Amino acid sequence: MSDRSLIIIAVVVILFIPFPTLIVPSWQLRLTDVNGNICPNKEVTESWAHYSIYIGGGNHQTEVRRTNDEGSVEFPARKVWAPLIWRVIGTVVAHVLIIAHGSAGPTAKVWSTGLKDTVWIDYKSDGLVDNMVVEQCVY
């Protein structure tokens, strides 16, 4: 086999071997009300996706967890696996779809509800916030 053939095979293999990308790191936060009271056993939802890798329906994944007795909840790091070829194609398509209200890149959100409100935290714009505040904890 020639050097040129080996290079072509290596490039093809590199294009099609999936590797991970972090969407959001492990996220621990505490849920309290506006008076600083903790909210134990309260549902908190995390949703995550990577629009440049998985395009179309079904790209969002969601997990619901409950706060512990101290009002804390932790979500594990979220990763997506995809080969280089799909990342290139997906990024191009995602940026074309932005014109029609699409999105590109990773996104993650957490939310919970209170008496009269729902608090949303967006990882992309807010970062890893470690405290969520609702008006009043209700169950």
Side-chain angles (χ1 to χ4, degrees):
M1 201 176 273
S2 71
D3 287 345
R4 186 175 181 183
S5 297
L6 289 174
I7 291 172
I8 291 171
I9 290 170
V11 168
V12 169
V13 167
I14 290 170
L15 287 174
F16 288 96
I17 292 179
F19 60 94
T21 295
L22 184 68
I23 295 175
V24 60
S26 174
W27 198 343
Q28 183 174 2
L29 51 101
R30 188 169 183 208
L31 183 61
T32 61
D33 68 13
V34 292
N35 297 315
N37 300 312
I38 60 170
C39 300
N41 198 31
K42 190 85 174 78
E43 282 189 357
V44 178
T45 304
E46 181 184 46
S47 176
W48 67 96
H50 198 304
Y51 292 110
S52 297
I53 295 176
Y54 293 112
I55 300 166
N59 61 10
H60 263 278
Q61 296 185 39
T62 302
E63 182 178 2
V64 178
R65 293 192 172 195
R66 289 195 169 271
T67 58
N68 63 19
D69 291 339
E70 289 82 38
S72 295
V73 64
E74 184 172 1
F75 293 97
R78 308 300 183 172
K79 296 179 183 176
V80 62
W81 287 74
L84 185 60
I85 188 75
W86 184 245
R87 292 166 188 271
V88 171
I89 293 169
T91 299
V92 170
V93 171
H95 281 85
V96 169
L97 291 177
I98 287 176
I99 297 167
H101 305 291
S103 292
T107 183
K109 295 174 178 36
V110 290
W111 68 91
S112 189
T113 58
L115 179 62
K116 298 186 281 185
D117 59 344
T118 299
V119 59
W120 287 82
I121 299 173
D122 184 348
Y123 170 66
K124 201 171 194 177
S125 59
D126 300 325
L128 275 179
V129 174
D130 61 0
N131 194 46
M132 296 175 70
V133 180
V134 293
E135 186 171 331
Q136 182 180 355
C137 303
V138 293
Y139 301 93

